Amino acid sequence: MLSPIQVLCSDITTLSLEPEPFASYTEADIISTVEFNHTGELLATGDKGGRVVIFQREPESKTEPFSQGEYNVYSTFQSHEPEFDYLKSLEIEEKINKIRWLPQQNAAHFLLSTNDKTIKLWKVSERDKRPEGYNLKDEEGRIKDISTVTSLQVPVLKPMDLMVEVSPRRVFANAHTYHVNSISVNSDYETYMSADDLRINLWHLDITDRSFNIVDIKPVNMEDLTEVITAAEFHPHHCNLFVYSSSKGTLRLCDMREAALCDKHSKLFEEPEDPSARSFFSEIISSVSDVKFSHSGRYLLTRDYLTAKVWDLNMESKPLETYQVHDYLRSKLCSLYENDCIFDKFECAWNGSDSVIMTGAYNNFFRMFDRNTKRDVTLEASRESSKPRAVLKPRRVCAAGGKRRKDDISVDSLDFTKKILHTAWHPTENIIAIAATNNLYIFQDKLNSEMH
Amino acid sequence: MIMRGQKRKLPLEDEEVPDRTSPNWETQRQFVFSVSLSKYQRSQELVEPSLRRSVLIANTLRQVSLGDCGSPSADEETEQPACSSSSALQVTEQESISTGDSAGGSPMGSLNYASNCASSSSPASPSSESNVPMSVEDEDEDWGSMSTDSDLELSAAISSILTALESPIDGSPQAAPRTPLRSLENLSGPSEGGVSWVKQGSRDCGVSWEQQEEEDCRVSVSSMEAMGSSYLSDLTVEDLFQDIDMSLLEGDMGVLGLMSGGGGYPAGDDLLQYLPPFSPSLSSSHPFSISLNPSHKCLPSFSTFSPLSSSTSSALSLATSSPFSGQNLVREGFELENLLEILVES
């Protein structure tokens, strides 16, 4: 099988784009999370305005072999509304922080979406038949005049245009004092966890009025607080294991069998600091912004500000592999601190076979690293370079003043307002979804499509 | 010309080695300090500040105030604050040190960070005692960015004293009873007042006092009253007192140990005006360093400072039987005045 990186380097095809946005988008349109479901058929995005948009992949068409696999809008709904916390006199943002799909168990699809405080379980179902021939109502639903009814009929199900219905099935509220940053569905398909800055709660999907607190790192005296939880995830196969990352760059693997409160970790993954590379910002750039288990469950992928690291669950002392995402920013940390970019939280993703990892960067660049061949590529998600069916060409960032090839971008001309924080990889195929501010880009491995 | 005992400076572009005597590092440190401060205060005004961001900024502030042992990375963007402002910054650091407030004291975090500094190979988990020497040495740095070499013997002596001091402080039985207000985490919002800005600096520099919050506050107020007249002449003690009260009502953000408010920063600027005018030479005060060494008698004066009243004193202070004895405080105030006079004279 061809190495994905080799193919992607030369042959990335744009599948579909969001409809042409207005020149100036509203802040509510900024995409804040992207997630494929377990089969890859559906792709959900959440935005700052509290809306969720679900895309569905068109089934393969024999007549047009090259148009197979396009993602089109399936459903749009308002998941969260802005709220006001009267006790604190603070607004609660409606921005969707995370979406996680539940594994499909019947015809309907279920997903969890969360903002800073409240998690909701949504049921997404299709309706393509409706009953016709009521006795007491006419076709428009108006009550019939009984005197006009002369005979009885049995209503019959007739096909109708497909309608996608979305309804909230559960609302898990009032369990988090701090901002929820992660949710993760357990492999037992019965429970899930939600993590905020200081606590992690375990929920049962059917019970909304209580949850179990399984991690609490809040110090007795808040002034002693120096570390917060930044991300958390359940192990894909072992329902008792989960991992959470901290702002100090540590990962903690916890076993729920050990104790009810998992404050004591089973394993602590931490890389010793390199004293020669120390700066004022060492701690900030070591803060882990995302953690993902590999599909196999053997490895962990973490993202901090400048690097992406792959950890082996069996080795706590240091990561297995470290990939420099944009090391050219290391000398610019001071100004990145000033303009707040140093606090950006980039996500990362595995491909289906755990051989390639992907993460975003600035200037609408995103990077992919092949773990086996050690090759990497930088690509850009932009309107100009992403016409449908176009092939993405690799980009390069050169140091300021360095030797510059044509089409290279100098570090100083990077646009730090265009950041790719959210990326997702199809669970089995080489299809990736990239969120660039208010635009969603979906790319496919061209070779993959040609084989069909 | 390279002064004797000073480290030879490598060209900045190639620099990877920590070089705390580099002026570039010092200015960067000042810059990071001021940026962190303003960031923190601004974040209090936001809708609901991100806890992660606040914690990271707070940790950076602490690290900067402690005097980092990190390498100055060649950074073209580092601003060069005006010499007067940098000296003003140092002055205000020292001011904040001597203001002696700490509603809650500097948390363990500052020590944690000191530990990050000193034992570079150790992981980020906190280990307090062994790393006080580094913070002590850095405290010396704060006093006019002296050459480190000239203070090594000094800091060695101080560090041994301080390690002896550590256990009494940590083992302080004075676990402050929690005020009911502190549990009202829901109450948040910016606290007004300029001295809140000043308090941040002191907390940043301090050693851990996690058990001494309320006592700290009360004692700090009294110490401020004692010292207030000497140099905070234009600022009434009531204002300071008011700020402390407000700080007790702070929400989660506030009790992170860095009080601030929307109006904090501008008021802080006002505070700068009231400080005695320090000469710009403070920032490169070799004369000062020379004067400090022989005048060891100044150090014993620090030793009688209550630990909570200043970060420097925490670094330099000897064991005091009762850190909160009121009698010491007035004496401390005068001794501080002496020190300030020395600074002025230099």
Side-chain angles (χ1 to χ4, degrees):
Chain A
M1 176 181 145
L2 273 177
S3 150
I5 284 293
Q6 185 185 6
V7 172
L8 288 171
C9 267
S10 54
D11 299 302
I12 277 276
T13 306
T14 311
L15 268 190
S16 56
L17 292 171
E18 280 267 278
E20 187 81 34
F22 300 115
S24 59
Y25 57 85
T26 59
E27 190 154 318
D29 296 327
I30 295 176
I31 298 172
S32 51
T33 184
V34 185
E35 184 80 358
F36 280 99
N37 76 337
H38 291 263
T39 60
E41 181 207 352
L42 297 175
L43 173 67
T45 64
D47 63 22
K48 258 188 130 178
R51 286 169 308 211
V52 172
V53 180
I54 304 177
F55 297 85
Q56 185 188 41
R57 191 176 186 194
E58 294 304 317
E60 292 176 35
S61 159
K62 293 183 185 60
T63 53
E64 274 181 83
F66 290 113
S67 74
Q68 70 86 20
E70 277 198 15
Y71 281 83
N72 297 318
V73 178
Y74 181 64
S75 171
T76 304
F77 62 95
Q78 185 77 30
S79 169
H80 286 74
E81 298 276 356
E83 284 169 45
F84 196 76
D85 182 339
Y86 295 98
L87 211 51
K88 291 195 199 182
S89 289
L90 289 172
E91 260 192 37
I92 299 173
E93 279 194 319
E94 68 273 29
K95 174 170 76 99
I96 308 293
N97 291 333
K98 279 288 183 317
I99 291 176
R100 289 287 182 263
W101 291 92
L102 266 57
Q104 192 176 11
Q105 289 178 306
N106 52 34
H109 298 274
F110 288 87
L111 64 81
L112 286 168
S113 67
T114 182
N115 68 347
D116 283 339
K117 299 285 183 187
T118 306
I119 306 124
K120 294 187 184 179
L121 178 69
W122 294 89
K123 178 180 177 185
V124 184
S125 51
E126 292 181 3
R127 186 194 290 272
D128 60 355
K129 296 182 183 51
R130 64 174 180 150
E132 282 178 26
Y134 281 103
N135 293 296
L136 297 174
K137 294 188 292 185
D138 64 14
E139 293 306 303
E140 279 83 41
R142 288 189 295 252
I143 307 290
K144 279 187 201 170
D145 185 5
I146 295 185
S147 55
T148 63
V149 177
T150 51
S151 63
L152 287 176
Q153 58 182 348
V154 178
V156 184
L157 285 175
K158 294 261 177 71
M160 58 177 262
D161 292 337
L162 179 66
M163 201 169 72
V164 179
E165 293 177 326
V166 181
S167 60
R169 305 303 285 181
R170 305 267 188 274
V171 177
F172 305 92
N174 302 321
H176 286 282
T177 310
Y178 305 98
H179 293 338
V180 174
N181 52 54
S182 319
I183 48 176
S184 177
V185 183
N186 205 348
S187 51
D188 63 7
Y189 304 153
E190 277 189 353
T191 57
Y192 76 96
M193 71 163 156
S194 56
D196 66 27
D197 290 322
L198 297 177
R199 299 191 177 101
I200 301 182
N201 292 335
L202 181 72
W203 302 83
H204 190 285
L205 283 166
D206 290 333
I207 300 170
T208 59
D209 60 354
R210 75 193 95 132
S211 66
F212 287 103
N213 176 241
I214 53 177
V215 172
D216 188 342
I217 64 167
K218 180 171 185 285
V220 169
N221 182 0
M222 275 297 277
E223 293 174 5
D224 299 336
L225 180 65
T226 57
E227 193 173 7
V228 298
I229 298 171
T230 51
E233 196 181 51
F234 268 118
H235 191 283
H237 309 308
H238 302 299
C239 56
N240 56 299
L241 291 178
F242 66 92
V243 72
Y244 70 91
S245 61
S246 80
S247 59
K248 284 203 168 159
T250 62
L251 303 168
R252 285 175 172 83
L253 183 75
C254 298
D255 190 335
M256 293 197 289
R257 299 172 300 189
E258 277 186 278
L261 191 61
C262 300
D263 279 356
K264 194 163 149 316
H265 54 262
S266 295
K267 292 198 182 188
L268 175 69
F269 299 85
E270 189 172 13
E271 185 171 22
E273 201 179 344
D274 178 11
S276 64
R278 188 151 175 73
S279 75
F280 294 115
F281 312 108
S282 294
E283 181 178 323
I284 300 184
I285 63 170
S286 73
S287 168
V288 175
S289 53
D290 193 20
V291 64
K292 292 264 168 47
F293 273 101
S294 65
H295 292 92
S296 61
R298 167 91 190 264
Y299 302 103
L300 278 170
L301 173 63
T302 61
R303 174 75 156 96
D304 52 57
Y305 190 63
L306 296 177
T307 68
K309 293 177 180 164
V310 175
W311 302 76
D312 187 328
L313 277 187
N314 301 319
M315 184 165 71
E316 302 168 58
S317 53
K318 60 182 168 79
L320 204 58
E321 300 145 22
T322 303
Y323 299 96
Q324 301 294 334
V325 180
H326 38 203
D327 201 53
Y328 44 78
L329 297 182
R330 199 176 285 273
S331 55
K332 308 233 174 266
L333 291 178
C334 217
S335 48
L336 290 169
Y337 178 64
E338 203 189 359
N339 64 16
D340 273 355
C341 283
I342 208 173
F343 297 106
D344 288 336
K345 294 178 70 168
F346 291 94
E347 290 174 13
C348 51
W350 294 92
N351 75 335
S353 58
D354 297 338
S355 57
V356 182
I357 62 170
M358 168 173 72
T359 187
Y362 291 107
N363 210 76
N364 281 350
F365 286 168
F366 59 99
R367 304 259 280 145
M368 283 192 258
F369 300 89
D370 187 324
R371 296 177 59 213
N372 301 324
T373 64
K374 301 301 178 203
R375 290 177 57 191
D376 62 85
V377 68
T378 305
L379 300 165
E380 184 178 2
S382 73
R383 213 142 259 289
E384 298 77 38
S385 57
S386 308
K387 300 284 181 288
R389 310 276 160 259
V391 170
L392 285 185
K393 68 167 196 269
R395 306 303 307 265
R396 215 175 79 104
V397 178
C398 59
K403 212 166 74 154
R404 201 185 144 166
R405 284 188 263 165
K406 181 175 165 295
D407 285 342
D408 279 2
I409 298 245
S410 151
V411 182
D412 297 317
S413 36
L414 289 175
D415 188 346
F416 288 96
T417 60
K418 294 186 187 165
K419 44 193 100 171
I420 298 203
L421 302 173
H422 312 287
T423 60
W425 204 309
H426 190 285
T428 50
E429 298 188 34
N430 283 336
I431 302 173
I432 55 179
I434 311 283
T437 322
N438 62 323
N439 291 325
L440 179 73
Y441 295 86
I442 302 176
F443 300 112
Q444 187 187 27
D445 175 0
K446 184 175 178 209
L447 194 75
N448 219 18
S449 66
E450 275 175 349
M451 278 160 63
H452 290 280
Chain B
M1 190 184 91
I2 297 175
M3 309 284 286
R4 191 161 28 129
Q6 209 177 12
K7 271 198 225 172
R8 188 179 38 159
K9 294 188 172 67
L10 298 169
L12 283 178
E13 305 85 50
D14 308 324
E15 201 144 25
E16 283 294 330
V17 183
D19 182 4
R20 267 170 294 144
T21 59
S22 152
N24 186 42
W25 179 83
E26 184 56 34
T27 48
Q28 190 191 42
R29 190 174 143 269
Q30 304 280 5
F31 174 71
V32 172
F33 181 81
S34 55
V35 168
S36 305
L37 219 47
S38 62
K39 262 191 200 311
Y40 189 78
Q41 283 152 352
R42 251 182 283 126
S43 76
Q44 303 304 308
E45 303 163 17
L46 293 180
V47 169
E48 192 169 355
S50 154
L51 189 63
R52 169 185 169 261
R53 188 163 175 263
S54 303
V55 165
L56 288 174
I57 295 173
N59 290 349
T60 308
L61 260 176
R62 279 188 208 113
Q63 180 202 358
V64 166
S65 307
L66 278 172
D68 177 48
C69 54
S71 64
S73 49
D75 191 340
E76 312 83 60
E77 275 78 20
T78 304
E79 280 181 20
Q80 306 285 327
C83 197
S84 54
S85 66
S86 69
S87 61
L89 263 175
Q90 283 182 311
V91 161
T92 48
E93 264 189 74
Q94 294 151 10
E95 269 308 305
S96 63
I97 286 164
S98 49
T99 307
D101 60 79
S102 51
S106 181
M108 187 63 120
S110 64
L111 259 190
N112 290 349
Y113 220 94
S115 82
N116 287 342
C117 277
S119 49
S120 45
S121 55
S122 70
S125 44
S127 65
S128 45
E129 277 79 359
S130 59
N131 300 302
V132 169
M134 190 53 77
S135 69
V136 167
E137 193 169 308
D138 297 333
E139 287 310 308
D140 292 340
E141 292 258 334
D142 286 346
W143 294 96
S145 63
M146 300 169 289
S147 148
T148 51
D149 295 335
S150 61
D151 291 319
L152 277 174
E153 312 144 53
L154 200 61
S155 41
I158 294 161
S159 67
S160 58
I161 294 162
L162 196 54
T163 28
L165 183 61
E166 270 308 287
S167 22
I169 287 180
D170 285 344
S172 165
Q174 285 144 346
R178 266 185 178 281
T179 58
L181 289 174
R182 206 170 283 292
S183 63
L184 286 175
E185 298 172 38
N186 288 331
L187 285 173
S188 66
S191 76
E192 299 301 313
V195 187
S196 58
W197 179 86
V198 173
K199 279 188 287 193
Q200 293 179 24
S202 78
R203 199 161 295 105
D204 297 339
C205 304
V207 184
S208 109
W209 329 110
E210 54 265 9
Q211 273 121 19
Q212 301 166 0
E213 344 152 34
E214 276 67 40
E215 269 90 336
D216 291 354
C217 193
R218 287 192 288 276
V219 174
S220 64
V221 168
S222 57
S223 68
M224 284 211 302
E225 278 168 346
M227 300 187 282
S229 54
S230 57
Y231 55 86
L232 293 174
S233 46
D234 288 277
L235 211 59
T236 67
V237 174
E238 254 129 29
D239 291 344
L240 307 173
F241 197 94
Q242 207 167 26
D243 292 331
I244 290 172
D245 278 345
M246 284 298 295
S247 72
L248 279 179
L249 296 175
E250 279 294 330
D252 297 343
M253 298 307 129
V255 298
L256 263 183
L258 295 176
M259 309 297 180
S260 73
Y265 197 48
D269 283 331
D270 294 337
L271 188 62
L272 284 180
Q273 303 165 20
Y274 300 136
L275 296 167
F278 283 75
S279 63
S281 65
L282 193 67
S283 54
S284 59
S285 46
H286 282 287
F288 171 71
S289 66
I290 293 168
S291 72
L292 186 63
N293 282 338
S295 58
H296 272 268
K297 55 179 179 279
C298 288
L299 296 172
S301 74
F302 277 109
S303 73
T304 57
F305 267 134
S306 87
L308 52 85
S309 63
S310 89
S311 59
T312 320
S313 72
S314 72
L316 304 175
S317 63
L318 304 173
T320 33
S321 52
S322 163
F324 308 110
S325 60
Q327 305 91 318
N328 284 338
L329 294 170
V330 177
R331 214 171 349 122
E332 288 153 24
F334 296 143
E335 280 150 357
L336 181 66
E337 261 184 281
N338 293 339
L339 186 70
L340 291 175
E341 281 164 23
I342 292 167
L343 290 171
V344 175
E345 278 150 18
S346 71

